[in-house]
Amino acid sequence: MDILLVSPPVTLEERLTERRKAVRHAFPPMGPLHLAAVARQRGYRIAILDAVALGLTIKETVERILQASPRYLGFYSVTMNIHRVADIALQVKVQVPQVTVLLGGPHITALPRETMELFPQIDMGVYGEGERTLMELLEALDRRASVEDLARIPGLVLRRDGRAFLTPRRPYISHLEELPLPAWDLLPSVAESYTPSPHNYSRLPATSMSTSRGCPFQCIYCDRAMWGRKWRGFSPQYVVSHMKHLHQTYGIKDINIRDDHFMVNKKWLREVCDLLKEEKLDLVWSTWGRADAATPEVLRWMREAGCWQITYGMESGCQEILDFMKRHMSVEDMERGVRMTKEAGMSIKGLFIAGCPLETKDTLARTVDFIHRLPFDFFSFSHFTPLPNTEIYPVAHQYGSFQDDWRQMSLMHPVFVPHGLDREYLEEFVKAMNEEGQGKGSPPGVEPSTLETWGRG
């Protein structure tokens, strides 16, 4: 084995039983899938170990890595699992010190120096878009290049005299369709292991994929360092080919397109929809977008091409909260987009955030009021989380109490509590609203037409 790419466990070992029950909702590791496809194209023997889909503990993950005995061990990590990555890497290094441990993904892109200096068991990091950087790095390592030679490769985090340093940033890939199709065959059963969460599919087997990278918006809670501020779509031909491959090879009948904003480029979207209609696949799909991008024409294209649901990032029903978060979208725009989508015959899921800076019981109540007057089929709340390298991260403490603990940054824990609210209230609010939003009934003590429980009385 030349390279083993690892998607690390998401939950702690003592919660494994709970995780194994939920493993059917795993999201496919798109980063490693693209990296593996490029590496294999270059002739490397490569495998992917998706500990999430396999329900592995940290101990079991280490055992699988040692059995594979790779020359290069690569991890793709977000902030909340970086400590688990470090734990696995350390255990492997103790037993096989000669293995080269590489780290890529959103976390090291956000905090490259801090991560490398905190975890010496990580030999090298790849920050930003990784396909070209990884290939140049592997070729250099194969010829035993010096640190000085490696320093000429853009997109790396290296060490010199015990201190981390960055090589120049690598330009983003302009034409993403130059990449091969993701290496889906290296995963456990695609149709069984990667079903989206229950409200994100209408037919089975179902899975998820991405069709673009980058986001042009400036929301203060999003880190855009990984994919950049410029939207880049895979060509319409590539997108439809990818969907056709999943349908014909793995029997997939429903695809959840997990882009930051699928609807941002209308010319591209129209071409994708036209190609899908031409293919006449026995396939439906859903996607994510901004409600202010919805128009009757766009929604008609999507519906005719098989789209059955759109998930809209709403965040709040309160204009001052939206403005603070730099959403550049009005409450009226969101209402209009949601109603048009329902009129077009599609299901609607709304995503909201509780506990933003400036949040109060009254702003939360206004968001509940906003939800109740619109025809959402489902909705869900997460906790406002100042992730590393976001605009809000360095100043979050000015607006409330902030627990800067990477382990807790899953969006499901109230690591940030704004002035004027308390942790218990936020936890109760999010739990109750998620129960209502998933169709389990109204929050305790709250009739759909009243808001007294959440501060309006």
Side-chain angles (χ1 to χ4, degrees), residues 18-51:
E18 175 188 339
R19 180 60 211 166
R20 279 189 169 145
K21 289 179 181 177
V23 74
R24 62 185 179 276
H25 305 316
F27 180 62
M30 296 308 301
L33 282 174
H34 280 287
L35 292 169
V38 172
R40 186 164 60 182
Q41 194 178 57
R42 295 287 185 93
Y44 286 96
R45 295 170 299 165
I46 190 165
I48 296 175
L49 177 62
D50 188 350

Side-chain angles (χ1 to χ4, degrees), residues 102-366:
L102 309 174
L103 176 64
H107 180 78
I108 195 166
T109 300
L111 295 173
R113 292 184 181 87
E114 298 90 331
T115 303
M116 291 291 285
E117 291 178 0
L118 185 61
F119 302 121
Q121 60 268 47
I122 307 296
D123 293 305
M124 300 170 195
V126 173
Y127 74 97
E129 206 164 44
E131 287 88 357
R132 290 175 176 171
T133 303
L134 179 62
M135 292 307 98
E136 291 183 23
L137 174 60
L138 293 175
E139 290 167 2
L141 292 175
D142 284 346
R143 63 175 185 269
R144 301 183 182 277
S146 65
V147 173
E148 288 69 27
D149 289 335
L150 293 176
R152 298 187 182 96
I153 299 174
L156 292 180
V157 194
L158 303 171
R159 287 193 186 88
R160 182 186 287 130
D161 300 325
R163 299 300 300 272
F165 71 97
L166 276 63
T167 67
R169 174 172 283 277
R170 180 178 294 276
Y172 291 107
I173 300 171
S174 298
H175 302 287
L176 291 171
E177 59 275 8
E178 295 173 0
L179 299 174
L181 287 179
W184 289 92
D185 58 297
L186 298 183
L187 296 178
S189 174
V190 172
E192 296 176 6
S193 300
Y194 299 98
T195 303
S197 55
H199 298 304
N200 285 324
Y201 67 84
S202 67
R203 303 172 64 189
L204 291 173
T207 193
S208 306
M209 60 175 275
S210 58
T211 67
S212 68
R213 295 178 180 178
C215 180
F217 299 96
Q218 289 102 35
C219 305
I220 64 170
Y221 51 84
C222 276
D223 174 21
R224 294 171 294 280
M226 185 72 187
W227 304 123
R229 295 173 181 269
K230 181 180 179 181
W231 180 89
R232 294 165 294 135
F234 289 85
S235 72
Q237 293 76 16
Y238 182 104
V239 170
V240 175
S241 222
H242 190 176
M243 296 173 76
K244 189 175 180 179
H245 173 69
L246 288 170
H247 175 62
Q248 294 183 341
T249 307
Y250 303 102
I252 300 300
K253 294 186 176 181
D254 193 339
I255 295 176
N256 181 227
I257 298 175
R258 294 285 294 259
D259 290 11
D260 288 331
H261 188 6
F262 181 81
M263 303 160 70
V264 69
N265 185 315
K266 291 181 172 54
K267 180 178 183 296
W268 173 89
L269 186 152
R270 175 67 185 271
E271 291 181 27
V272 170
C273 291
D274 285 348
L275 286 173
L276 280 172
K277 286 192 290 185
E278 289 175 14
E279 287 289 345
K280 297 181 180 178
L281 302 173
D282 181 20
L283 179 72
V284 296
W285 52 282
S286 58
T287 192
W288 297 33
R290 283 172 56 109
D292 60 345
T295 67
E297 185 179 41
V298 165
L299 296 170
R300 178 172 53 79
W301 297 339
M302 295 171 67
R303 182 65 175 152
E304 290 176 353
C307 181
W308 70 274
Q309 182 188 67
I310 303 177
T311 297
Y312 287 129
M314 315 298 283
E315 322 314 0
S316 175
C318 181
Q319 191 62 53
E320 53 263 43
I321 298 292
L322 295 174
D323 292 343
F324 182 87
M325 293 193 293
K326 296 187 178 179
R327 289 288 290 158
H328 299 298
M329 182 162 54
S330 71
V331 171
E332 292 75 20
D333 288 338
M334 296 195 302
E335 288 196 29
R336 189 163 45 250
V338 168
R339 294 189 189 283
M340 279 193 293
T341 304
K342 179 56 64 176
E343 290 169 4
M346 286 183 272
S347 171
I348 309 162
K349 183 174 181 180
L351 301 182
F352 294 85
I353 299 174
C356 308
L358 310 187
E359 192 89 88
T360 65
K361 290 183 179 181
D362 181 66
T363 62
L364 289 173
R366 287 157 63 189

Side-chain angles (χ1 to χ4, degrees), residues 36-70:
V38 172
R40 186 164 60 182
Q41 194 178 57
R42 295 287 185 93
Y44 286 96
R45 295 170 299 165
I46 190 165
I48 296 175
L49 177 62
D50 188 350
V52 179
L54 295 172
L56 302 180
T57 64
I58 288 177
K59 179 182 177 182
E60 291 167 339
T61 303
V62 171
E63 290 171 352
R64 294 282 190 104
I65 292 169
L66 295 175
Q67 290 169 6
S69 189

